[in-house]
Amino acid sequence: MYRIAVVEDEQPCAETLQTYLNQLAAEKGLSFEICHFKNAVLFLENYTSDYHLIFMDIRMPYLNGMDAAHHLRELDPEVLLIFVTSMAQYAVRGYSVSAFDYIVKPVTYHDFALKMARALRKLSSIKAGPEIVVTTLNGMARLSADDIRYIETQGHHLIYHM
């Protein structure tokens, strides 16, 4: 399951993103938990780093998305951030906060699906974690370091307990 935050003050745009996420989840057999925040202040005041992906509008009341992204990076430097904006000229500034990508409003499903495909590839490589390659009696095997409980030795052989 992927946890996704939508930080968007315009209800129609937030609903469009949620609809697209639900459509993509149904098409790809994925599971998304989606949380909507009407402004960046509400999002940041109780932020926990358990989100995998954040869609953030740039033009919002109280605290704009670019300033919110700077605060976000102090709390969580790793989370994937995609700006959703009607002002493409601000997208370049997204590099200063390590934004993964941006989508220009009005959001189309085609553009959304392309950006999400890239984001999901990135998230799956992050989730996979480091791997090691070991020699077995049947050839080579790739093991996820996260799945290894412990390793013991017997003579010159290693035994991996998963």
Side-chain angles (χ1 to χ4, degrees):
M1 163 150 344
Y2 293 98
R3 294 203 69 226
I4 299 173
V6 175
V7 185
E8 172 63 68
D9 63 318
E10 297 174 14
Q11 191 62 31
C13 187
E15 288 173 359
T16 297
L17 287 171
Q18 290 175 345
T19 299
Y20 289 171
L21 283 164
N22 290 329
Q23 182 179 343
L24 186 71
E27 288 174 3
K28 303 290 185 188
L30 299 170
S31 178
F32 297 138
E33 181 183 326
I34 306 164
C35 296
H36 174 229
F37 299 88
K38 293 182 189 278
N39 64 60
V41 174
L42 290 173
F43 171 66
L44 289 172
E45 70 184 8
N46 294 314
Y47 181 78
T48 57
S49 17
D50 57 349
Y51 291 103
H52 298 100
L53 176 62
I54 298 167
F55 288 97
M56 187 173 301
D57 187 15
I58 291 182
R59 285 184 56 178
M60 290 185 287
Y62 313 118
L63 180 65
N64 71 52
M66 195 59 67
D67 291 339
H70 284 285
H71 292 294
L72 172 66
R73 287 303 180 216
E74 292 172 8
L75 300 170
D76 189 347
E78 301 300 320
V79 68
L80 290 188
L81 174 64
I82 297 179
F83 283 115
V84 182
T85 182
S86 56
M87 304 177 301
Q89 67 269 24
Y90 287 105
V92 173
R93 289 183 50 207
Y95 290 111
S96 68
V97 290
S98 302
F100 181 73
D101 213 332
Y102 72 95
I103 301 174
V104 178
K105 294 179 184 177
V107 180
T108 64
Y109 184 72
H110 176 74
D111 192 30
F112 169 83
L114 288 174
K115 307 288 181 165
M116 277 300 293
R118 282 189 60 232
L120 290 169
R121 279 193 304 275
K122 176 77 171 176
L123 286 171
S124 67
S125 71
I126 292 169
K127 270 183 139 182
E131 296 179 324
I132 62 171
V133 178
V134 297
T135 305
T136 69
L137 295 174
N138 299 324
M140 303 295 274
R142 185 179 305 269
L143 305 176
S144 170
D146 293 337
D147 293 336
I148 299 172
R149 291 195 180 268
Y150 65 95
I151 304 169
E152 69 177 298
T153 61
Q154 278 188 351
H156 293 286
H157 300 283
L158 297 174
I159 301 171
Y160 293 85
H161 295 269
M162 310 296 281

